[in-house]
Amino acid sequence: QQQVKQSPQSLIVQKGGISIINCAYENTAFDYFPWYQQFPGKGPALLIAIRPDVSEKKEGRFTISFNKSAKQFSLHIMDSQPGDSATYFCAASKGGGADGLTFGKGTHLIIQP
Amino acid sequence: ETGVTQTPRHLVMGMTNKKSLKCEQHLGHNAMYWYKQSAKKPLELMFVYNFKEQTENNSVPSRFSPECPNSSHLFLHLHTLQPEDSALYLCASSQAGRGSNEQFFGPGTRLTVL
């Protein structure tokens, strides 16, 4: 049973465009939702995260939108750049303690110059 | 050294070998994790350690044996592995009790089982 479903599997966006990746979760006990960026040969790096008490969080060109009633959250990358080309993972967990993250399958993003 | 380091970065082993993966975190965190990343599958949690105590074993086969001697070091001992165990093994750390579950990952060990 996949607890975090991520789409699309791959995405091609033109430079300067908006990249949008979506995730849906099932476990209502989750209350911490991070996004990770991974380049080939590297470990995942935390990009941005949100708690369910807010509906949106923005850091630079990256924005998370969160819909608690629909159990969905999404990552928006504004003004996408070729350097943003990477694999992006959404994840979810209970927050605060030493809890393992449940990951989506990942989205391979390519930004075309 | 900064962040989370893992050694070796690459490992090739036969099914009868015994080897160990090492992880060290330089962030002063109190929780450490092992994850497995296979092609076309989500990252899978394997083990969680909080203040050196194992708090979660995600139904991992006994051929994988974790060890956490202190809150800065984490090992994964491997023996009699199968070819399907070939994957990228990632270590992460976090500061539990801060109100978030912000986990920082190492670069991983790419394991190939022949």
Side-chain angles (χ1 to χ4, degrees), chain B residues 10-79:
Chain B
H10 301 272
L11 179 62
V12 179
M13 59 186 290
M15 290 191 286
T16 58
N17 291 159
K18 289 184 180 181
K19 296 287 185 182
S20 295
L21 309 184
K22 178 184 176 182
C23 175
E24 184 173 0
Q25 61 95 1
H26 309 268
L27 300 168
H29 289 162
N30 57 18
M32 298 188 77
Y33 312 77
W34 280 116
Y35 289 86
K36 176 183 178 182
Q37 186 173 29
S38 307
K40 299 183 180 179
K41 292 179 71 175
L43 278 86
E44 300 172 81
L45 177 70
M46 299 177 72
F47 301 102
V48 180
Y49 277 83
N50 192 6
F51 288 103
K52 304 185 300 177
E53 299 298 320
Q54 187 180 124
T55 56
E56 189 164 350
N57 176 338
N58 198 23
S59 303
V60 181
S62 59
R63 57 186 183 271
F64 295 90
S65 176
E67 178 189 1
C68 189
N70 55 61
S71 57
S72 297
H73 295 86
L74 185 63
F75 296 88
L76 188 61
H77 304 297
L78 316 171
H79 63 97

Side-chain angles (χ1 to χ4, degrees), chain A residues 1-66:
Chain A
Q1 181 185 10
Q2 188 183 345
Q3 293 197 54
V4 178
K5 294 183 179 179
Q6 182 172 347
S7 63
Q9 190 173 352
S10 61
L11 180 63
I12 299 174
V13 175
Q14 295 296 315
K15 178 183 175 182
I18 303 174
S19 304
I20 302 174
I21 305 171
N22 301 298
C23 281
Y25 64 97
E26 299 170 2
N27 188 341
T28 55
F30 289 152
D31 64 357
Y32 174 72
F33 303 90
W35 283 90
Y36 281 83
Q37 178 189 59
Q38 186 176 28
F39 293 104
K42 305 284 189 181
L46 179 64
L47 197 58
I48 187 173
I50 197 168
R51 302 294 295 267
D53 51 345
V54 296
S55 61
E56 185 173 285
K57 183 175 182 180
K58 183 176 182 179
E59 290 184 1
R61 295 185 294 109
F62 301 92
T63 300
I64 299 180
S65 297
F66 186 83

